[in-house]
Amino acid sequence: MRHDSPQPDTGSRLDADRAHLARRYQAVRGQTRALAAPLSPEDCQAQSMADASPAKWHLAHVTWFFETFVLEPFEPDFKPFNPAFRVLYNSYYNGVGEQFSRPQRGLVTRPDLAEVWRWREQVDERITQLIAHTDSADALRLIAMGLHHEQQHQELLLTDIKHLLSINPLNPAYQRAWPLVSVAPVPTRWVERDGGLVEIGHAGEGFAFDNESPRHRQWLEPHALMNRLVTHGEWLDFVRDGGYTDPRWWLAAGWDWVRTQGIRAPLYWTLPRDPQALPTVFTLNGAVPLDPHTPVVHVSYFEADAFARWTAATHADQAGARLPTEAEWEAAAASLPVQGNLQEAGALHPMPARAGGGLLQMFGDVWEWTASSYSPYPGYQVAEGAVGEYNGKFMVNQTVLRGGSCATPASHLRASYRNFFPTDARWQFSGLRLAKTLIS
Amino acid sequence: MRHDSPQPDTGSRLDADRAHLARRYQAVRGQTRALAAPLSPEDCQAQSMADASPAKWHLAHVTWFFETFVLEPFEPDFKPFNPAFRVLYNSYYNGVGEQFSRPQRGLVTRPDLAEVWRWREQVDERITQLIAHTDSADALRLIAMGLHHEQQHQELLLTDIKHLLSINPLNPAYQRAWPLVSVAPVPTRWVERDGGLVEIGHAGEGFAFDNESPRHRQWLEPHALMNRLVTHGEWLDFVRDGGYTDPRWWLAAGWDWVRTQGIRAPLYWTLPRDPQALPTVFTLNGAVPLDPHTPVVHVSYFEADAFARWTAATHADQAGARLPTEAEWEAAAASLPVQGNLQEAGALHPMPARAGGGLLQMFGDVWEWTASSYSPYPGYQVAEGAVGEYNGKFMVNQTVLRGGSCATPASHLRASYRNFFPTDARWQFSGLRLAKTLIS
Amino acid sequence: MRHDSPQPDTGSRLDADRAHLARRYQAVRGQTRALAAPLSPEDCQAQSMADASPAKWHLAHVTWFFETFVLEPFEPDFKPFNPAFRVLYNSYYNGVGEQFSRPQRGLVTRPDLAEVWRWREQVDERITQLIAHTDSADALRLIAMGLHHEQQHQELLLTDIKHLLSINPLNPAYQRAWPLVSVAPVPTRWVERDGGLVEIGHAGEGFAFDNESPRHRQWLEPHALMNRLVTHGEWLDFVRDGGYTDPRWWLAAGWDWVRTQGIRAPLYWTLPRDPQALPTVFTLNGAVPLDPHTPVVHVSYFEADAFARWTAATHADQAGARLPTEAEWEAAAASLPVQGNLQEAGALHPMPARAGGGLLQMFGDVWEWTASSYSPYPGYQVAEGAVGEYNGKFMVNQTVLRGGSCATPASHLRASYRNFFPTDARWQFSGLRLAKTLIS
Amino acid sequence: MRHDSPQPDTGSRLDADRAHLARRYQAVRGQTRALAAPLSPEDCQAQSMADASPAKWHLAHVTWFFETFVLEPFEPDFKPFNPAFRVLYNSYYNGVGEQFSRPQRGLVTRPDLAEVWRWREQVDERITQLIAHTDSADALRLIAMGLHHEQQHQELLLTDIKHLLSINPLNPAYQRAWPLVSVAPVPTRWVERDGGLVEIGHAGEGFAFDNESPRHRQWLEPHALMNRLVTHGEWLDFVRDGGYTDPRWWLAAGWDWVRTQGIRAPLYWTLPRDPQALPTVFTLNGAVPLDPHTPVVHVSYFEADAFARWTAATHADQAGARLPTEAEWEAAAASLPVQGNLQEAGALHPMPARAGGGLLQMFGDVWEWTASSYSPYPGYQVAEGAVGEYNGKFMVNQTVLRGGSCATPASHLRASYRNFFPTDARWQFSGLRLAKTLIS
């Protein structure tokens, strides 16, 4: 994203862009409103852990992004809705200035939710005007970026509210979209892929984040990817086989995490007294019995990696199982359409893989942990200005996830899209697909 | 408080009690409603630290007390408003059963505030019926206790909301009752008192908590109490004289606390860059310049004790200054009326001592730290049943405060009333009065 | 201790004092050497927790006390052994200046143990000279104080090395003085005592710490003390009756401590798999089976208090059982000789109460937790100078213990002696005796 | 390392191997003795942080490795020196069984140092016999591995003892090998290198750890490496330019680390009051003024990365500066001899780059942080058995360092050698060399 370079746009192209952007702006901002509709002012206030944010904060912060990065530089006679919000809703942009303490976001009770909505409405009005009248292609590009930013926060709003509601002993549901149809997933099957030089990363038209660039070459050994995601039923075998109590399967840091945190199952599971009974899982549709056919979700990298080692050692037909690298995943996904169980499907929970050939569930259902650390691509350049803090400064001690989840909007995804979280994070919709190296 | 003993009440006496209790019930519960009126659902949701509770929790917990300790045993055909609330709003009564995790009270967004109000209304209706129709003197006594319990939580609601609002960088005010009239306080003067055997503790008619009993004898040496509270201006001298950076004045544990917590002034002060300028203080009326004439407030026991040592060493006319013992305080207060700057005054902030002889400001303004650890009186008996957990189990590692504050309801206080907090607590309206031993 | 006041000593009196002090100096310093004899340089280096100190540190610090408080002011042409030791071995005297970080004492490997012994020898030489030649009664008084200080550290050296060795999975013994003769203790019997005005605190000749002064009056209600200490066998009944899992017996802070620390038995117990088998306990004589006849030891105040409540509720003949106050204990001990199972006995472990009338085991075996917070006596004055930091600044959030233990030297004790530790401390030889209030 | 596979060794080849191994065994074990010679029993006992181990523990653990992995399976009639040591000196091998708590290693005072030396001597005797008489090539291979393992611990012994001594306010020196000759280092110069497919990783004869395998292809873009290491003088410019207080240079996690840990300079620096004066640095030769000509050392990955960003932005001739990847580093080092300022040089401190062409200081002086996360090479297989825990289980959340340091033995290194530490580790001899991508 280089929003400072000159652009020889013709007028008609710009007008078409304007119209498209105006429609997309209405759609994305409207979808955020729809996602917040089931939530009370109380629900929107609370912050259940330092990694999560209150829903009210998400609603305000995405508006802050438009006000700070678009209106402030491009609106004639810019005047902020409330100057104090510049600090209050700055997430982590040192280039913009001070930030309010992250773990205390849930303690800011004023402005209340109604005032945040008024702010959003005022900014919507002003952005709509700007789209209609600005001559700046940079402004339009930043608005497009702001919408992708808002879509990221739509997913976070859902995962954060899920975490919050899970703490309430009354087991409240965010929605009642259940029941899912439970069908046995297709059998596992290795899909083999050649090695050699591949190109990965974003190129060409269309929006992408800076961390997807530059497109570059990478050498792959011959390998195979599993045709579908790992399921809850397969995970239950791992649990019942003592997977969480056997250090052989775990990275040293993972074993330490399991023991010091008392981890015995994925997040949101309640294990039954009778080990042969089904666990209960908390979902955005309330607490339900675990469905073995659905993809496993809310596991950390440590757990995903341990599961792969256990599978490799205990399943003869899956010897050599490991997590895929991000290059293997992207090379395989590059030719597939972005479709699947995404936010628009409304389930907000992963669903069984339906019959089909080739690679299934590559997009949607759950983010897939890869074996790749989150690092800059060769030749990566950070964007200038505060927006340059968007991605680059997080490129250490995190691991890449690919493919999007049941909470990701379809229009937000690409094969080159890189998500990333620390190896112990579990509150995102994170799962896994197995891979293996083919020995020639 | 022995609510299980038989009572030979006559009918007419009981009827008079009923009428009095019904009026008091309406008054106390109405006052709670009035105190919550300035607060939004968001304000009532948040919990700013583990020691504090959300306002919504206070509103629910005091209703839980009536439902659990009064309606459950005494109402015919008792049925709870919501059975899950029995655990959710139990504070610390192991005799009642499980308790929801205290530091997570701010994460319970459902029930929302409106439902808590509905619960309160239903319980008000049922308690009103019970008062009118029950034959049980125990039930009436427990209702009276529940009202005193609610008055305690009125004060906590105010101190907790003050702490919450203080974290908000927008400095929101709970009310706008300012300005106070600032007048120079009366000069300090030692009020001397004889030694000898005294009796302290509650006796006779009228409500008192079990920790005020039994009334018992205690030997006092001759001593003097200061005629009024220590002021902000006197405290400012302490600050400017380096009081917070000189270990000579501090208990070892206090010095450790000052250094590890970076304490430089009372809670809610913002020190100015220019040390000769006045600090800003956050109050329930918003952020204001410190008024040197008002009593110092929001200091810990460690600070109060250090101030006394500093005063003793640096003010020739106050040599020997120390904190009073609770027996010295109570013996002096026993004959004074319970009046002063209390909750009903509406200031919710301590005010200058007005002219007058004898001991001033004994009730109201600020709770006065004493030199006495919170221990059982000789012969103290814990009440039977879960209500017995009210006081006794906290009698360790806490220090007694006396006299009530600007947030305490007048009808809640007595000379024998014992409040108690850990030595590092500061978010209550806590201040001090000096004392000294008279050497014969 | 007022070492700055003029003293009209005659010459002969001073000479007698000199001779006595010289003998006592040799005896106490020699006993410290004897206690350290079984320890290797490695044993003397390690520090097992922040509350404990390495044996090498104890050996150095007591020498530091003589060098800093005696030689520095009173020795002509004073020159320190090593100027850097002034900071390195200062425990907590702010009046002397900086202190080395307490939790890092085990990391100071140089000076090594041999050099610390050389320092001790040099200081012994110089103090011996000073005793022989000084005209200052203050110097002699400070030396006497230094010896009492060293005796305190003798006990700490033993309790700290016990804690260190207990962590070693090889279960090493400090000494092999076992076996104790196990005999059934005398039966429990209440010894009744009148109420009324008593005097407690130190008066008259002889050394005492400042916290034992001034002697003062206190009112006592009629009460009884148990004739002997609580035994391990009685404690085992408490454990087997579920004492550590029932909140009814515990102060709120104690219950919190039990649960968060996972406390299930006194320190140094290893519970057997078979609940009817005897636990193993780690002692300075190695790991041995618990002897039910010996006094219980290494319990916290929280545990002692809980045991008393459990006893009161479950033993009809001990209804009303509680811990004694320090005034009750001292009034009862005032007329008893200081004798019992003390350091000189060499067992370094509590022993069964032998037959006899009256109050047994008042001195020695274990320090007895009292119900009294550690507070200044009325009219208490801190000594001037750095030595004034000895006691007074610790008078908060600690609880008084009385009577001395099997690790306390006999010549160090008095009926008025006040020991004090936080309510969760267990690594001292701490146990308990029951008391009750007599209701007239 | 696959020590379980059959090997068609001829007898004469085995005998040559035996002789070589016997000499190497004497040399390496003797060098460990020499490194420990300056240390007292006290020095060898203490553990200054959880990441470090006591020198006594290092001495015992490397002997444990030989006893457990070589003698136990291969010695006829194996009997351990002390069976308890199997648990006590197991570092992290779950396959061997339980492990003693790592942060408490400094508390095991028994066995004392003398007994650990006796253990070493006995094991030396037995291993020497085994080398002479065994028919097992696996045994010989495991002994070779044990020697490389011991060489790793030689370096750790030095870095751990440096950390321990640095805490002592007396600034004790491990050795007095000073002064180094301070000469201005050669000027910086970019050494350009072509892109394309390269092979990295170990292949062929000679010892290597499993994490260096398998040798595999990797695609590199054209790039340049700096001819020498970054110096203390260059780092001082970074400090004086406010490098530690400007968030622009730091990864988000690094900035958080800098602020919460109060980081202002590399480990072991004492900053002077006068910012233009030279800092003092603690070295194994005691505390000395910083020499600007020597390579910077004891910096974390966060600091190395921030320095590269600052250099790129402020030095026109070093635009694009970043850390090298491990593949770039290894491809460049593959043809260079393993020589430089290594452990054998005896300085135990980095030294200025002497004149010369090409890449200087690639081996020795300081470990060079790379931009590469520590991950398994494609097709990596963990060795079977407990020895398989050597490397693989640490492959997460660590970063690769290359090239060895002034504390690394020459015979321990290779171009393919991969060292790894967390991004905040600083107590190793860690520094950096700059690299950049060449844009075609």
Side-chain angles (χ1 to χ4, degrees), chain C residues 38-39 41-43 45-48 56 84 88 100 104 106-113 164-165 167-170 172-173, chain D residues 38 41-43 45-48 56 84 88 100 104 106-113 164-165 167-170 172-173:
Chain C
L39 303 177
E42 288 89 339
D43 292 334
Q45 179 61 43
Q47 177 179 29
S48 59
K56 186 174 79 178
L88 201 53
F100 182 73
Q104 295 190 305
L107 305 184
V108 179
T109 60
R110 305 181 189 189
D112 61 11
L113 182 61
L164 172 64
L165 295 179
I167 287 165
N168 192 321
L170 308 182
Chain D
E42 288 90 339
D43 292 334
Q45 179 62 43
Q47 177 178 28
S48 58
K56 187 175 79 179
L88 201 53
F100 183 73
Q104 294 189 304
L107 304 184
V108 178
T109 59
R110 306 181 188 187
D112 63 10
L113 183 59
L164 172 65
L165 295 178
I167 286 165
N168 193 320
L170 308 182

Side-chain angles (χ1 to χ4, degrees), chain C residues 380-408:
Chain C
Y380 169 70
Q381 297 289 340
V382 173
E384 284 187 24
V387 189
E389 300 183 53
Y390 204 105
N391 275 306
K393 74 180 183 181
F394 301 108
M395 289 178 174
V396 70
N397 293 340
Q398 312 231 29
T399 301
V400 173
L401 303 99
R402 292 299 194 109
S405 82
C406 55
T408 315

